[in-house]
DNA sequence: TCCGTCCGTCGAAGCGCTTCGATGATCAGG
DNA sequence: CCTGATCATCGAAGCGCTTCGACGGACGGA
């Protein structure tokens, strides 16, 4: 029952077979008679045997670990990141893999390090930007990988992301269906738009592309005062406005209060839809419909794709996750 | 410059020395002449050599990896968790260690697995509860570890946490110094109190223990409507109340609005202090003073303690991090 | 000058596993 | 009854590293 220092030889001895036989039982790479297999499995359980990870990786050239590189920039949405990380770990464990956590500030050198030391079999790169210095290194290393987000040149890479354009479209459509003629998208602060053109711009395009309403996009900082001001300006400049999509998580609460101050009754003569986590949309009064960033689904998809690549199977170069609108 | 498949033998050949010499140069475990060392280091750089992690761990019985087990329960404060995780990774890298991410739902069996497979040298357990089933396993395995939080029986374990009692005291003192005679602590929802008695109760004790004011503690859910109601009831039941500490991150915004509705002018005739992350306290109007949960400091301390234990050095059984009040 | 030290380096053993080729045993076909 | 194929299992050879003991050369003391 213990487990400290139990080797495959101990298991083999107890089951009365050769070490290689134990290995084959455990890996299933050669056929073994059921009786022998049972004896081996019993010995494994009795002794609490777990193969030594280092020895295994040395002999089999497979570490059983994948790396996940998370961004650490300011303004990253921490809860989503965390959901992502835990989703990835959960899915990886289903495939009997562990997850090594890295931060983006290790940069390309970090990728080179983990690749050369064979400490991981593959990696997942989160929050890839349009011009990302890690992408070139990644391509050169030839380490199996999956990216969350789309770099400018995705040639030969496996990328996964939320279909942000569809998300924008879904929000616009929701508002139009509620009878809104003038609608607006309240986005993130200018800084975010400047950095990740891909991501924020695709929402904008989807939102504007839904031609049935007069639509505008307004960037917006996320502190209480700025939100108040932005909403006031918005309502002044578009007095006919009756529908608003908010793609700025921390601002949502402030937006609701600003609308209340302006005499808008949300859910009656005015409609609001959120792009963001459930908690945010649930915590307002009234609760709001929302399109969430499906962090867990993204993580699972990414891990699953990576596993397939490790097994030498095909995966699509590009995968877009459909946004889901939750009514409340 | 490449790196794929470069072994210590390649480095040795290029430097014209034996493999063992390269090993000693890299580890510093035997004295090597400066000239030889230089030649070796040059060869390492030229070839982009990184030792094979598996081989190293097999031969040296040191994996160079520590595990971090994160809770995944509902109601966990995700951003803080994330800060913690990234802080731990950053600090671990300074010690040339990597971090393996595990989730608490692997439970005791997960601990046994990583211990037996020697995939990590030690581990950090986050968010340990008063009665935590992992603690007993941990003790039995004898794997070097550091806990964040205090279990009921901490005998022989290394624990690190914020000094929550001091945090409560600091908040009460802040309010008293502003001249408040009646003060209250608005805490988390009942569920949180029920689960982690240690953590929430220590804040309460610190808050109440500061005898200079009439103090009360009110639990509070975190949706807009409940907060409104709770604040209203609180103000009704204690009409003389002029000071409030809020230990409930998502509720802060709603509290501010409820106070405004009740005609309280925060910062003038009424004082509010927050226990929680900076962003929350900065985003309100006016900005609020706050005591933050110093996730990064906690993570760094935990990792540092673990490194010392791995090196066979002494560490204190129990470390309480002083809360820091930020005025705004 | 000779001996004992110490320093820098080498070679070999071994960490625990996977995997390849070999070896009996079993069985069907002629 | 013998041959060739098939199946279950074994033994040995590494995987790339660390570490131990050994060894030659330089150097200081007698």
């Amino acid at each position: 029952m213990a487990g400290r220092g139990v080797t495959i030889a101990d298991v083999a001895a107890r089951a009365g077979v050769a070490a290689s036989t134990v290995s084959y039982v455990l890996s299933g790479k050669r056929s073994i008679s059921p009786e022998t297999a049972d004896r081996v499995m019993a010995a494994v359980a009795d002794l609490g045997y777990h193969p030594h990870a280092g020895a295994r990786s040395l002999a089999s050239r497979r570490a059983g670990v994948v790396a996940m590189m998370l961004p650490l920039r300011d303004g990253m949405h921490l809860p989503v990141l965390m959901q992502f990380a835990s989703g990835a770990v959960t899915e990886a464990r289903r495939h009997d893999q562990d997850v090594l956590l890295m931060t983006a500030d290790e940069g390309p050198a970090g990728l080179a390090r983990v690749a050369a030391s064979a400490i991981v079999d593959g990696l997942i790169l989160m929050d890839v930007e349009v011009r990302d210095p890690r992408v070139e290194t990644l391509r050169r290393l030839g380490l199996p990988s999956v990216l969350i987000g789309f770099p400018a040149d995705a040639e030969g890479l496996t990328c996964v992301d939320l279909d942000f354009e569809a998300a924008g479209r879904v929000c616009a459509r929701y508002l139009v269906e509620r009878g809104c003629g003038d609608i607006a998208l309240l986005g993130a602060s200018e800084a975010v738009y400047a950095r990740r053109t891909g991501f924020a711009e695709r929402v904008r395009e989807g939102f504007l592309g839904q031609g049935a309403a007069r639509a505008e996009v307004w960037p917006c900082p996320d502190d209480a005062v700025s939100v108040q001001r932005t909403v006031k300006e918005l309502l002044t400049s578009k007095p006919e406005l009756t529908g608003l999509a908010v793609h700025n998580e921390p601002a949502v609460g402030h937006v609701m209060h600003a609308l209340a101050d302006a005499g808008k009754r949300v859910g009656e003569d005015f409609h609001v839809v959120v792009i963001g986590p459930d908690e945010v949309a649930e915590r307002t009064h009234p609760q709001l419909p929302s399109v969430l960033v499906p962090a867990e689904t993204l993580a699972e998809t990414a891990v699953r794709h990576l596993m397939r690549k490790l097994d030498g199977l095909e995966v699509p170069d590009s995968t877009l996750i459909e946004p889901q609108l939750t009514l409340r």
Side-chain angles (χ1 to χ4, degrees), chain A:
Chain A
M1 195 62 195
R4 200 113 202 89
V6 179
T7 75
I8 200 172
D10 300 330
V11 176
R14 177 175 255 254
V17 298
S20 52
T21 302
V22 175
S23 179
Y24 286 125
V25 170
L26 259 24
S27 70
K29 294 193 178 170
R30 280 196 187 177
S31 67
I32 298 285
S33 72
E35 305 83 59
T36 305
D38 287 351
R39 269 202 339 279
V40 168
M41 293 311 287
V44 166
D46 286 356
L47 300 174
Y49 170 71
H50 290 273
H52 187 288
R56 185 207 277 275
S57 119
L58 182 56
S60 70
R61 347 213 90 241
R62 275 275 224 146
V65 180
V66 298
M68 186 163 61
M69 205 181 213
L70 294 183
L72 273 192
R73 258 184 273 93
D74 270 4
M76 274 311 302
H77 194 45
L78 263 20
V80 171
L81 230 52
M82 194 63 225
Q83 278 175 271
F84 188 90
S86 72
V89 171
T90 305
E91 180 64 23
R93 289 301 307 140
R94 290 201 191 104
H95 299 264
D96 245 295
Q97 299 269 316
D98 277 294
V99 173
L100 196 79
L101 195 60
M102 307 181 65
T103 61
D105 52 69
E106 275 207 66
L111 299 182
R113 177 178 70 85
V114 294
S117 67
I119 197 175
V120 300
D121 299 323
L123 59 85
I124 293 177
L125 239 59
M126 274 217 61
D127 201 51
V128 172
E129 297 185 31
V130 172
R131 284 240 59 83
D132 200 307
R134 296 169 300 178
V135 168
E136 192 215 345
T137 307
L138 200 57
R139 206 175 253 128
R140 184 162 49 73
L141 292 173
L143 192 68
S145 59
V146 174
L147 316 194
I148 314 293
F150 284 85
D153 174 17
E155 180 69 32
L157 299 170
T158 305
C159 302
V160 177
D161 210 348
L162 173 65
D163 188 341
F164 281 102
E165 193 173 331
R169 211 159 44 227
V170 163
C171 289
R173 194 179 303 141
Y174 168 83
L175 296 174
V176 168
E177 282 168 5
R178 293 294 165 297
C180 305
D182 266 25
I183 64 178
L185 169 67
L186 212 61
S189 59
E190 294 279 12
V192 173
Y193 279 86
R195 190 165 57 212
R196 291 198 53 188
T197 19
F199 150 69
E201 268 179 14
R202 293 205 303 276
V203 175
R204 154 188 281 150
E205 277 162 30
F207 190 78
L208 297 179
Q210 217 291 347
R214 286 176 303 281
E216 283 186 15
V217 175
W218 288 48
C220 178
D222 48 19
D223 62 294
V225 176
S226 308
V227 173
Q228 282 279 357
R229 182 167 29 74
T230 307
V231 172
K232 202 166 294 173
E233 284 173 20
L234 176 59
L235 293 175
T236 309
S237 105
K238 301 193 72 173
E240 307 285 285
L241 188 84
T242 53
L244 191 60
V246 184
H247 182 199
N248 182 333
E249 192 252 329
V252 172
H254 304 313
V255 168
M256 294 301 282
H257 287 288
L259 290 174
D261 290 353
K264 305 291 180 189
R265 282 185 306 278
V266 172
E268 301 174 31
D269 58 358
F270 198 95
H271 297 278
V272 177
V273 57
V274 171
I275 303 181
D278 283 342
E279 307 89 75
V280 171
E282 280 169 354
R283 220 182 276 133
T284 56
H285 178 71
Q287 296 195 342
L288 300 173
S290 69
V291 171
L292 52 60
V293 177
E296 304 236 336
T297 308
L298 274 173
E300 279 171 28
T301 307
V303 170
R304 213 129 50 193
H305 280 11
L306 185 54
M307 294 303 138
R308 288 184 58 87
K309 290 181 88 167
L310 293 181
D311 292 342
L313 302 173
E314 287 291 311
V315 296
D317 283 355
S318 153
T319 307
L320 290 177
I321 307 287
E322 270 313 293
Q324 221 65 45
L325 178 69
T326 307
L327 300 175
R328 288 197 171 82

